[in-house]
Amino acid sequence: MRPTSLAHVRAAVRALADAERAAGAARFFKTGPGDYGEGDKFLGIRVPDLRRIARASRALSRNNTLKLLRSPWHEERLVALLILADAHQRAAATEKLELHRAYLANTAYVNNWDLVDSSAGELVGSHIPSLGMQRLQRLAQSASLWERRIAIVATFWTIRHQDFSPTLVISERLIDDEHDLIHKATGWMLREVGKRDVAVLRRFLDAHAPSMPRVALRYAIERFEDAERRRYLSA
């Protein structure tokens, strides 16, 4: 039976709870005191199962989907984001903008890297061509680690559409960021640019490699030959 209410969706999620897997997820996503995921709670459910529940829950109302997004349980938040991203992909232009705004109003609940990475491209990045860079720049300047990650990961959408400028602009803005999760995401997006146009990546690295965090640089040059990697690492 397809879940048609918030109670049904929650029941479908919690029926798959696994305490041992939950304990492992809590360690993996760094939920201890002072860690980036401090206080997050896990039920211990595999992502393919959560994607299956999300697909079966397309009929869930937006209001109830947003309630699900505000859950204390990580997996319920992920299901909500998958539902929102799927709805956005299928929506008309006006509804896309409404979903985009709803997402930005609830970034406090998009509060771990997998939640960002499963949603930012579709719900934020796809609006860059029509809305420009202003909102993305604000996210990149946020005090919130997760909003900054949204800013850079959102540019995956424009990368896939052969527009690399947003990635380069936000990457430059985040070069001085202090958090490892931003370094990794920035290097990842730059590597994706390089997959499509390595000359663009090389120009960026020629200008910025000496000041880039080591993690970001290593991610960005991962596909280079050994000699070129060594040259950039020694810059």
Side-chain angles (χ1 to χ4, degrees):
M1 184 175 67
R2 288 179 176 272
T4 57
S5 72
L6 182 56
H8 287 148
V9 176
R10 282 179 167 154
V13 171
R14 296 180 192 190
L16 298 175
D18 182 307
E20 185 176 351
R21 188 177 288 120
R27 292 190 296 271
F28 181 73
F29 286 100
K30 307 295 185 184
T31 62
D35 288 337
Y36 62 72
E38 181 177 358
D40 205 352
K41 296 168 60 178
F42 288 82
L43 292 162
I45 305 167
R46 298 181 307 161
V47 172
D49 290 329
L50 296 173
R51 290 188 180 277
R52 177 178 53 78
I53 293 171
R55 286 194 299 271
S57 306
R58 283 178 167 178
L60 191 68
S61 71
R62 185 182 308 165
N63 184 53
N64 279 334
T65 303
L66 292 174
K67 286 182 180 178
L68 190 66
L69 177 59
R70 296 165 190 148
S71 169
W73 295 105
H74 185 101
E75 290 90 344
E76 290 188 346
R77 298 199 303 279
L78 179 54
V79 168
L81 290 167
L82 293 172
I83 293 170
L84 290 172
D86 175 70
H88 185 277
Q89 192 169 33
R90 296 180 292 109
T94 300
E95 187 181 1
K96 284 182 186 290
L97 188 57
E98 291 172 357
L99 288 164
H100 168 70
R101 289 169 174 164
Y103 179 81
L104 290 180
N106 286 276
T107 55
Y109 305 98
V110 189
N111 58 350
N112 217 310
W113 58 264
D114 63 321
L115 304 179
V116 171
D117 297 357
S118 66
S119 59
E122 179 64 35
L123 287 157
V124 178
S126 64
H127 292 270
I128 297 170
S130 58
L131 298 179
M133 291 287 293
Q134 187 174 1
R135 291 182 185 183
L136 215 62
Q137 291 275 27
R138 285 203 301 268
L139 289 167
Q141 295 169 22
S142 172
S144 164
L145 161 65
W146 306 118
E147 289 192 343
R148 300 198 306 277
R149 188 168 174 111
I150 288 170
I152 185 61
V153 174
T155 70
F156 204 174
W157 192 94
T158 55
I159 292 171
R160 291 197 298 266
H161 290 79
Q162 301 300 310
D163 179 6
F164 309 131
S165 177
T167 304
L168 302 180
V169 169
I170 299 302
S171 294
E172 186 172 8
R173 173 67 184 81
L174 293 174
I175 276 180
D176 295 328
D177 200 281
E178 296 181 354
H179 205 287
D180 181 68
L181 286 177
I182 301 301
H183 304 167
K184 291 177 178 177
T186 301
W188 168 29
M189 290 301 105
L190 289 170
R191 185 176 70 236
E192 292 298 328
V193 169
K195 287 180 182 179
R196 293 155 177 86
D197 192 331
V198 71
V200 172
L201 174 57
R202 285 184 176 121
R203 285 196 295 271
F204 183 91
L205 295 175
D206 288 344
H208 298 292
S211 58
M212 286 177 66
R214 257 319 188 246
V215 171
L217 181 57
R218 287 185 182 278
Y219 271 55
I221 63 177
E222 193 174 82
R223 292 167 58 88
F224 287 3
E225 296 295 331
D226 287 347
E228 190 169 21
R229 283 204 305 272
R230 288 195 296 271
R231 178 169 67 83
Y232 279 114
L233 287 169
S234 63

